[in-house]
Amino acid sequence: NQDITDSRLNYGLIMHDILRQIKQREDEENAIRSQIRSGRINESDAQYIRDEMEFFWQLPQTAKWFSPELRVLNETSIVTPEGALYRPDRVVVSGNKATVIDYKFGDKEKSAYLAQVKTYMNLIEQMNYEVSGFVCYVSLRKIVAV
């Protein structure tokens, strides 16, 4: 069985899946366990992911993004009037304020990622929300406001 870190793509997909299942921080272990049960990761992968998540929770914004009083839209599809489909990783809503978060797991920052989040923000603004957006570079342990 190849190690999760052998493949950046595999790592990114698994981390996306785990983060998708986490509404609040205490959901983390269940999300990791479900990856083990499905055979996608083994115990040593799980430990590596727990360590990565530990860094993730230390980022200044994550506590806010995973606050229990927020309405969470994980991978909710936004369909434009033209029929285009967009799917931000996480959108949290409090009143008329929405925050768009997109996770990236590579080791490079790219302006295309900011443009992607900007597109999500524009779509959500059209629904009369005050929107902020972030690209969260999980592996780089860095968050960039859009």
Side-chain angles (χ1 to χ4, degrees):
N1 190 7
Q2 79 162 18
D3 198 65
I4 187 175
T5 50
D6 290 350
S7 157
R8 296 302 299 173
L9 177 67
N10 196 26
Y11 163 76
L13 291 171
I14 288 168
M15 288 297 285
H16 260 112
D17 272 0
I18 288 170
L19 283 162
R20 183 184 306 130
Q21 293 172 44
I22 298 176
K23 291 259 193 268
Q24 293 163 28
R25 184 173 181 170
E26 53 269 20
D27 301 330
E28 177 189 328
E29 191 53 33
N30 285 340
I32 292 172
R33 289 247 148 280
S34 86
Q35 295 291 318
I36 295 172
R37 278 195 305 278
S38 71
R40 288 184 75 193
I41 64 172
N42 60 31
E43 269 309 330
S44 79
D45 293 334
Q47 194 46 57
Y48 176 79
I49 288 168
R50 285 184 196 102
D51 295 344
E52 286 290 285
M53 290 300 296
E54 202 45 56
F55 287 110
F56 175 77
W57 296 120
Q58 288 169 23
L59 293 167
Q61 292 91 334
T62 52
K64 244 191 337 235
W65 296 344
F66 288 82
S67 159
E69 61 267 10
L70 293 172
R71 208 157 52 101
V72 180
L73 311 171
N74 271 350
E75 301 234 343
T76 301
S77 298
I78 302 168
V79 184
T80 66
E82 302 78 45
L85 190 68
Y86 294 93
R87 190 174 287 168
D89 289 332
R90 185 178 183 91
V91 178
V92 290
V93 178
S94 175
N96 76 325
K97 289 183 173 29
T99 304
V100 180
I101 300 119
D102 221 52
Y103 306 116
K104 299 298 176 195
F105 297 92
D107 50 12
K108 286 189 183 62
E109 293 183 48
K110 295 186 181 150
S111 58
Y113 298 154
L114 303 176
Q116 181 185 17
V117 170
K118 191 72 190 143
T119 301
Y120 299 152
M121 289 168 68
N122 290 338
L123 291 167
I124 294 168
E125 266 165 10
Q126 290 167 26
M127 301 175 214
N128 295 321
Y129 285 99
E130 245 177 75
V131 188
S132 54
F134 299 90
V135 175
C136 180
Y137 294 98
V138 178
S139 308
L140 297 174
R141 314 196 196 314
K142 181 175 183 181
I143 293 170
V144 178
V146 178

